[in-house]
Amino acid sequence: MPLRLLPMQEEDCETWMRVRAIAYRGPTNLIVHTSPLSEESFTKVAEERRKEFHKPEYYRLKVVDTDSGEIIACAQWSVYPHGKTEAGSKDDGKPPYTPPEVNLPALKALLGPLRGANIEIMGTRPYVMLNTLTTLPEHQRRGAASMLVQWGVDKADEMGVETYLDSSIIARPLYERFGFEVVKEVIFDRTQWGGEGLDYHFCMLRKPHNHQVADV
């Protein structure tokens, strides 16, 4: 079952959101979401992604199983050739849509320190950033994630800039194989939100170079 890396299309946005919802299942997701997303929420979130689709800094990619035609993995990379500028809202001035199933204070507690670390580490210098990468669980270890990561590091090497991302414990070995190194650790305490245990995230940085790794 060969895999193919392709640019994502606007019509793929809802599938992308569904792949993310499946791939992110786990104890932290149960805190950030009070319940599974409704069909209406999926539709509205996908519409938000479509509105942003042609922003020049975004590169959205998918991996397709060519036998079934199924999208099995997705990623979004951002390219900041002149450094990153933070925007407080969307281009139309309205805040982004938040599904009613989302525990917004918990989401801010999770993402706020990660965004702060990104700004602290990268400052205003140019870089390429992996915003999100998700693979359907039943298709893991087929090489899809490697294809998506390889695209980003190749782009960064072409530009001669660093590559930045934040990683879970599970994904960290994959990124290390591409030359990423941990520069900061961010911990989300699930017990403060009625859950159990800690969720570790690793802010990782890769210097530009020519480097190839085997598929995983």
Side-chain angles (χ1 to χ4, degrees), residues 16 31 77 80 146 157 185 190 197 215:
W16 176 28
I31 292 170
W77 286 91
Y80 303 111
S146 290
D157 286 346
E185 185 177 295
R190 290 191 289 257
D215 283 346

Side-chain angles (χ1 to χ4, degrees), residues 65-197:
D65 183 310
T66 56
D67 284 342
S68 66
E70 181 184 14
I71 297 173
I72 67 166
C74 303
Q76 176 176 290
W77 286 91
S78 293
V79 176
Y80 303 111
H82 306 294
K84 182 178 181 180
T85 58
E86 289 293 325
S89 63
K90 299 185 302 178
D91 292 342
D92 60 9
K94 297 179 182 179
Y97 170 74
T98 301
E101 300 89 353
V102 169
N103 180 340
L104 191 55
L107 181 64
K108 289 181 177 179
L110 173 66
L111 297 183
L114 292 173
R115 289 171 176 161
N118 175 203
I119 295 169
E120 172 192 337
I121 294 165
M122 299 312 301
T124 59
R125 63 187 188 270
Y127 66 104
V128 173
M129 177 177 178
L130 179 61
N131 301 108
T132 179
L133 189 158
T134 51
T135 304
L136 290 173
E138 64 269 28
H139 293 285
Q140 291 177 356
R141 305 196 68 80
R142 294 183 59 194
S146 290
M147 295 169 73
L148 293 165
V149 176
Q150 188 70 62
W151 185 96
V153 298
D154 285 347
K155 183 71 172 178
D157 286 346
E158 175 188 322
M159 295 172 61
V161 301
E162 295 165 300
T163 318
Y164 177 86
L165 58 83
D166 62 73
S167 171
S168 65
I169 290 177
I170 293 174
R172 176 176 167 178
L174 166 66
Y175 299 131
E176 288 177 334
R177 294 184 62 179
F178 281 87
F180 286 89
E181 297 180 355
V182 175
V183 294
K184 187 179 179 70
E185 185 177 295
V186 177
I187 300 174
F188 178 70
D189 186 353
R190 290 191 289 257
T191 65
Q192 295 184 5
W193 300 92
E196 297 181 0

